[in-house]
Amino acid sequence: MTPRWLRLAMGAGIAFLWLPVALLVAYAFSADPVPFRWGGFSTRWFAALAANDRLLEAAWLSLRVAAGAASLAVLLGGATGWVLARHGPFAGRAALGALAGAPLVLPEVVTGLSLLLFFVALEGATGWPEGRGALTVLLAHATLGTAYVAVVIQSRLASAERDLEEAARDLGAGPATAFATVTLPLMAPSLAAGWLLAFTLSLDDVVIASFVSGPAGTTLPVALFSMLRLGMTPEVNALATLLLAAAGIALALVGWLLRPRDRN
């Protein structure tokens, strides 16, 4: 039985983490123009947010960047995780695993600064990319998402038995056919979960995006951060509530896709 003091400590920790979030959601429905003062229930700030062209443009850009970054991360991370899980020892395996997982442990400030220096050097050497914008943000977020997708795919394939793949090869299927008909379906739930995870990471990133974005690549988190420096507004509460709901739905889908399934 869990000791009482441990339950109290856990409850206090959860309250400390989630009480500010609950207050933010509550004040998003306040009619008072002061962000942290209750003035009666109202949805006026969600309507005001819908009429804010700057935030809507930034939100649409964030969605496009997140979708593109997640798709690229699934391709690169899926291939990396498959190689690490299904191939035996080979030259450079340790280096590949270390490089693929480096973004997981590096501070985002270091990642953002290094990517900025890389893009500047690349532009000076080749002329591409021309300045910083949505493309550089997409590539930076794909780099981060690749590491997470690779870990998800590698863990999925490491726990999956190879019997079906070996049976397909024994029955005459070539490597490409066995991969397409057996391995890929095994990876499909993890690929979908990795896509959602990379999408969520891209959608709420502000540190890396602030380094590699420019005037033409202002994502929603960056625009929101710039607004906060001028003072909170009730529209920010409404926006944060919608972002929280979107992140919660995405994480719920990830959990559903990765849940254990009955094979019977």
Side-chain angles (χ1 to χ4, degrees), residues 31-263:
D32 199 291
V34 178
F36 299 115
R37 189 171 64 192
W38 184 254
F41 181 84
S42 175
T43 59
R44 59 180 293 194
W45 304 118
F46 290 91
L49 178 63
N52 192 320
D53 293 335
R54 179 192 174 193
L55 287 181
L56 290 179
E57 182 179 352
W60 175 236
L61 177 64
S62 291
L63 291 174
R64 287 183 289 150
V65 168
S71 300
L72 184 57
V74 164
L75 292 176
L76 297 177
T80 303
W82 174 70
V83 168
L84 293 174
R86 282 294 186 259
H87 290 263
F90 57 88
R93 177 187 174 88
L96 176 62
L99 292 175
L104 297 175
V105 296
L106 285 176
E108 288 192 354
V109 173
V110 175
T111 303
L113 179 59
S114 62
L115 287 170
L116 172 61
L117 295 177
F118 172 74
F119 288 137
V120 171
L122 185 63
E123 182 182 5
T126 66
W128 181 90
E130 297 182 1
R132 260 62 64 201
L135 178 61
T136 53
V137 177
L138 187 152
L139 295 175
H141 286 175
T143 301
L144 179 64
T146 296
Y148 286 89
V149 174
V151 170
V152 172
I153 297 301
Q154 185 179 2
S155 61
R156 167 60 178 165
L157 291 179
S159 62
E161 299 178 357
R162 301 190 181 188
D163 296 347
L164 294 177
E165 300 171 53
E166 294 174 355
R169 296 295 300 275
D170 292 339
L171 292 173
T177 303
F179 177 83
T181 59
V182 179
T183 307
L184 191 58
L186 289 174
M187 295 169 56
S190 297
L191 288 173
W195 191 94
L196 290 170
L197 182 59
F199 180 87
T200 304
L201 290 170
S202 174
L203 192 62
D204 66 2
D205 173 74
V206 65
V207 177
I208 295 177
S210 64
F211 279 96
V212 300
S213 64
T218 302
T219 59
L220 183 59
V222 174
L224 179 60
F225 185 74
S226 64
M227 289 177 59
L228 292 178
R229 286 184 286 185
L230 301 177
M232 286 285 293
T233 65
E235 291 179 21
V236 173
N237 292 341
L239 176 60
T241 300
L242 294 177
L243 288 176
L244 180 64
I249 293 173
L251 290 177
L253 287 174
V254 169
W256 179 77
L257 290 170
L258 294 180
R259 77 190 192 283
R261 288 175 168 81
D262 187 3
R263 297 184 179 181

